[in-house]
Amino acid sequence: MPETYDVTVIGAGVTGAAIARKLSSYKLKTVVVEKECDVSFGVSKANSGIIHGGFHHDFSALKSRLEIRGNILFDQLKEELHFPFKRCGIVVAAFSSDEMRTVEKLYENGIQNGAVGIELCNHDRMLYLEPKLNKDVVGGLFAPGGGIVEPYRLVFSLMESAKKNGVELLTKFKVKSGTLKNDLYTIEAEDGRNIQSRWVINAAGLYCDEISCIFGAEEYTINVRKGEEFLLDKNATAYTSRVVFPVPSKDSKGMLVIPTVEGTTMVGPTATIIDNKEDYSTTKENFKKIFSSARRLVPVVSERDITTSFTGMRPTLEGDDFYIEMSKKKDRFIQVAGIQSPGLTASPAIAEYVKDIMKRNGLELIEKPDYDPNIDKVPRFRNSSKEEIDKLIEENPAYGEIICRCENITEAEIIASIREGHDSLDGIKFYTRARMGRCQGGFCTYKIMKIVCRETGCSMNDITKRGGESWIVNKKIGDFTTGSKS
Amino acid sequence: MKKIEREVLIIGGGSAGMAAAAEIAEKGHSVVIVERESTMGGILNQCIHNGFGLHRFKEELTGPEYAERYVNIINELPIDQYTGMTVTEIDDQKDFKLVYAFSSHEGMVEFKVKAVVLAMGCRERNRGNIGTPGSRPSGVFTAGLAQRLVNIDGLIPGKKCVIVGSGDIGLIMARRLSWVGADVQAVVEIQPYPAGLTRNIVQCLNDFNIPLHLSHIVSKIYGKDRVEGVDITPLIDGIEAPVQTFHIDCDTLLLSVGLVPDNEVSKKAGVIISNQTSGPAVDGNLMTNVEGIFACGNVLHVHDLVDFVTEESIRCGSYVNSYLEGKTKGSQYSVMAGANVRYITPNKFTSDSDNKFYLRSMIVKNQAELVVSLDGREIIRKKQKHVQPSEMISCEIKADLLKSTGLNEKSRLEIGLKS
Ligand SMILES: Cc1cc2nc3c(=O)[nH]c(=O)nc-3n(C[C@H](O)[C@H](O)[C@H](O)COP(=O)(O)OP(=O)(O)OC[C@H]3O[C@@H](n4cnc5c(N)ncnc54)[C@H](O)[C@@H]3O)c2cc1C
Ligand SMILES: Cc1cc2nc3c(=O)[nH]c(=O)nc-3n(C[C@H](O)[C@H](O)[C@H](O)COP(=O)(O)OP(=O)(O)OC[C@H]3O[C@@H](n4cnc5c(N)ncnc54)[C@H](O)[C@@H]3O)c2cc1C
């Protein structure tokens, strides 16, 4: 007999994880299924990491309302879940009186939405707020409530908290079919695994349309808007003290300069509509575009500081709003689709919103008396003082073994990652930052691989970058010459 | 926190750190080496090919053998060695320095010393640094990491490889991978000349029929989970010629696109980094702008031969000794790269002792001439059989050539290459 659950969440991105955590405070048997080998490997790993300030869209959009609400929830979330988050504030820089008029419109949006502390600024105030701005700035907008977050750490923490409160997680579970019989959905994975569930939440990001189709619910198409971004070294002079936006155009918030929470600088993203959901490539043309537009905002941005680049895919729907509703065709099937930007910001509010929909549609929600919103904090070597480090090492000598020298990540943190279930190279990278610095794993990859083997009992050949066919090494000396493997 | 007091602390126990330490200990000064890895030797430990020590020991050794010679030397001397220990910070207190380092055995340790030698070596440039477009699958390795996997762990990164960059490590890996049965399809070099030593082109590529595409770049990487292939585009007069792009199927891409001195700790201590070498700017005593902090080996500038590292580091050790004994050579005058010279180090010279310089050419040329001039007056002209960017040139200038030349603050020594 397959396991039977009250609720199945499809997709372990920020949306699915936030929903699962919310549901974990109630007496429900909940499972999250995810096709990748770890959580946050979809859209939620590759984005700008901004907790938006609530001024880009007006109140008529659902995404705008959830953005404001989500933003407010972040302080408490950080208290409970310890992911890197900082309210550094957002500035929007205008370079002409035309652009200034658009800024005024944004300001009105912000006021209407209730964005706390939002203000219009003149030239001097803009440069005071962000001294690295191009001196040609005419004026702009300041949203002090905007911030930055490490997106995958947010998802990891949400999921860890959900699991701690009883939610199950099934990875490498690619949903292939979903059939409803006697009030129970049977959900089958590509590898043949089966589960049953009363409720299904479709939070599959780029693939919400396919999931909806598989279950016989609404038909719609997710359009993909691709965004390329570049990361600069943590010593780059381009590091600003606030997120710097240009004045937005009709279909995009534009390319920005982002001081990430962990001290690197990010520039981008582009916005190109593409057909292929798997096209994660970067191009030279966009490279040039990003840098010239970033330099217009912050002239000291330099290509010389690039450490890596990546591509993210925005799952968008016609109309460009979130689509969060009970299916009209299938019972107890909830669509959480079109979660493009500001999905990260809105995620805690999306979770509440989904819970309310479920409640309205007859799900009985009984609070768990033993629900614990807090997870343990893993001390970070890189954020500790010399005295704290001395103490950490005394308690756990693995804090004395530096593995990733660029980001100062110790063996203790790698082990914590593996024990939390993040054991692919990318999973470890997102959990700890190991291999994320300037040498991009040149020195520490083999050390990490050894620790994974020791902790999990796997062999070097079993280790992947991010699951699937992303093997690192698959041959031992002698294998080719003896022709045992091809 | 544990506290230890010595005269000198050396950061890094590679060939540079060991040679400097030996020189200092031989003169009776107390010295400690702090090395992050569990053994001394640094990068030498993974270079199991031979070609080390022809100058220093007059025989051809492998990297680990060369390291072992020096490990034996330092073990004979009263040198404190801390392995598995990483230096995180140098706090300059003028008369002394506090150096903070930690290990799992010792916790955080505070060393109080009079002088510090930076000998942290270098790291490899990576894909981000060269900005290759395309997807980001598994299977892109820096050559040094691949070398480490094959030579120390006995693991092969893949079956069909393309190598980007013709630096020495890339060339050596082309041969190494061929030996273990992988198929090396091509080496792609952006410059019109190879970045590695000529002997390595011959022994590692030609002998294995591996094509070297000069003036070419890898213009795109393909593959979802794992590398599936690359596009290679020729440069014509420095400009990409997309119509002539060709594709190679491969599952592995090795990058050998240069090394960068590893100066995180130095920068935090206020050491000024030269943008020519990416290493500290040093005077004729290999001392940085921070008094009492010296530098040698790959952290100062990237060397192609370990013998030169050793030579430079022994000298560095002797300058440290003079410093401790209050005998540091006095006046320092400017040194400048002249025609066709990419960089020169050190950036200062003294008039009262011999000076030694290392420089790199910007040109490829047979029968070039090295010309040294002081305040516009030529003082040395020397034939160079062959110069190329990948082969470091050394140049010695005896003290008597510089003495009584009426030096003043504005005096300037220029070393150039005439074609
Ligand atoms: C370039 C870019 C920049 C952005 N910047 C910001 C920003 O600064 N601030 C902000 O608030 N938002 C930003 N966003 C938006 C934000 O990243 C997304 O809204 C959010 O990550 C979406 O999360 P999700 O959980 O809905 O989707 P995902 O993270 O994609 O999660 C869906 C999951 O479902 C899984 N899945 C799919 N199909 C199946 C199947 N058949 N079976 C099982 N599992 C399946 C996927 O593997 C995936 O893990 C940005 C987006 C992009 C692309
Ligand atoms: C891959 C490669 C192949 C080469 N092949 C040849 C060859 O064929 N023939 C030849 O003659 N030469 C060769 N060379 C050149 C020569 O061997 C090296 O230049 C030389 O060994 C470098 O010595 P080093 O001490 O400066 O640096 P390294 O050997 O890199 O030593 C630096 C040491 O410092 C340690 N360290 C760094 N930071 C810290 C810190 N904060 N705290 C504590 N310890 C730290 C590191 O762990 C390392 O052990 C090669 C170089 C490389 C990189």
Side-chain angles (χ1 to χ4, degrees), chain A residues 235 278 280-282 284 306-307 309-311 381 386-387 389-390 393 397 400-402 405 438-443 445-447 450 460 465-466 468-477 480, chain B residues 1 36-37 89 100 102-104 107-108 122-123 126 128-129 133-138 141-142 145 148-150 153-159 176 180-182 224-226 240 251 262 264 267:
Chain A
N235 289 333
E278 309 272 323
Y280 282 93
S281 62
T282 50
K284 210 161 198 159
I306 299 176
T307 52
S309 62
F310 65 83
T311 303
F381 179 93
K386 296 184 196 84
E387 290 72 20
I389 290 171
D390 199 39
I393 297 174
E401 301 286 347
I402 278 282
R405 54 167 91 162
R438 64 179 60 84
C439 94
Q440 294 281 301
F443 284 113
T445 300
Y446 75 92
K447 292 189 184 175
K450 286 209 166 127
M460 290 289 235
K465 179 164 154 54
R466 51 169 179 253
E469 281 301 298
S470 65
W471 48 275
I472 309 299
V473 293
N474 77 340
K475 303 290 185 296
K476 287 222 180 63
I477 286 188
F480 289 152
Chain B
M1 205 185 312
R36 170 166 39 205
E37 301 298 325
E89 192 185 320
Y100 295 93
F102 66 91
S103 74
S104 52
M108 188 60 85
C122 55
R123 63 185 163 79
N126 60 55
N129 301 137
S135 58
R136 272 160 311 286
S138 166
F141 298 82
T142 57
L145 171 59
R148 156 94 219 189
L149 288 170
V150 178
D153 302 307
L155 295 165
I156 304 174
K159 185 158 174 63
R176 188 80 186 96
V180 297
K224 183 171 169 277
D225 285 343
R226 179 77 192 191
E240 278 178 54
D251 60 19
D262 206 347
E264 286 320 291
K267 282 186 208 160

Side-chain angles (χ1 to χ4, degrees), chain A residues 108-166:
Chain A
E108 279 162 28
N109 284 345
I111 295 290
Q112 193 194 19
N113 292 345
V116 180
I118 196 159
E119 52 175 276
L120 284 170
C121 311
N122 73 0
H123 166 90
D124 287 353
R125 178 138 177 90
M126 285 298 283
L127 286 169
Y128 164 78
L129 289 167
E130 181 45 67
K132 287 181 185 169
L133 271 184
N134 185 343
K135 305 282 177 287
D136 294 340
V137 64
V138 178
L141 182 84
F142 177 47
I148 40 179
V149 67
E150 217 173 40
Y152 24 81
R153 288 281 300 285
L154 166 63
V155 184
F156 286 179
S157 298
L158 286 167
M159 207 58 222
E160 184 176 338
S161 168
K163 283 186 353 199
K164 185 173 171 187
N165 290 296

Side-chain angles (χ1 to χ4, degrees), chain A residues 405, chain B residues 11-17 34-37 41-44 47 49-52 85-87 119-122 147 169 172 199 259 265 296-299 303-307 309:
Chain A
R405 54 167 91 162
Chain B
I11 312 178
S15 52
V34 177
E35 165 57 48
R36 170 166 39 205
E37 301 298 325
I43 200 73
L44 289 171
C47 302
H49 56 281
N50 54 11
F52 296 81
M85 184 181 272
T86 304
V87 171
M120 291 92 79
C122 55
Q147 183 177 46
I169 321 171
I172 283 161
R199 70 162 197 232
L259 302 163
V265 175
C296 57
N298 279 354
V299 80
H303 297 61
D304 26 64
L305 290 179
V306 68
D307 309 75
V309 171

Side-chain angles (χ1 to χ4, degrees), chain A residues 191-323:
Chain A
D191 63 4
R193 276 179 290 171
N194 266 308
I195 55 170
Q196 291 187 324
S197 182
R198 281 176 41 74
W199 290 75
V200 174
I201 298 173
N202 177 11
L206 294 167
Y207 302 93
C208 279
D209 49 357
E210 290 177 20
I211 294 293
S212 188
C213 180
I214 285 173
F215 279 80
E218 284 78 358
E219 279 175 31
Y220 54 87
T221 308
I222 297 283
N223 302 308
V224 185
R225 211 152 60 221
K226 174 171 155 177
E228 293 175 34
E229 313 216 29
F230 286 84
L231 270 167
L232 310 184
D233 194 281
K234 63 181 176 209
N235 289 333
T237 43
Y239 192 76
T240 51
S241 47
R242 324 225 176 242
V243 178
V244 183
F245 273 82
V247 171
S249 68
K250 213 165 80 269
D251 44 32
S252 141
K253 295 191 179 93
M255 285 176 262
L256 356 163
V257 179
I258 305 156
T260 71
V261 218
E262 296 286 3
T264 58
T265 305
M266 193 150 83
V267 292
T270 52
T272 330
I273 302 203
I274 56 161
D275 300 330
N276 180 359
K277 288 178 183 173
E278 309 272 323
D279 175 16
Y280 282 93
S281 62
T282 50
T283 62
K284 210 161 198 159
E285 296 70 50
N286 280 332
F287 165 81
K288 289 193 185 132
K289 216 155 88 187
I290 290 174
F291 277 87
S292 68
S293 110
R295 261 197 294 270
R296 180 167 162 264
L297 299 172
V298 177
V300 293
V301 166
S302 164
E303 291 95 334
R304 272 218 310 272
D305 295 319
I306 299 176
T307 52
T308 187
S309 62
F310 65 83
T311 303
M313 305 287 185
R314 305 174 185 83
T316 70
L317 285 169
E318 206 173 313
D320 254 335
D321 204 354
F322 294 169
Y323 168 39

Side-chain angles (χ1 to χ4, degrees), chain A residues 171-192:
Chain A
T171 53
K172 299 182 190 165
F173 191 107
K174 183 170 181 186
V175 174
K176 193 186 78 183
S177 71
T179 42
L180 180 59
K181 211 170 125 194
N182 304 334
D183 278 357
L184 219 48
Y185 285 98
T186 299
I187 304 167
E188 198 190 340
E190 220 169 49
D191 63 4

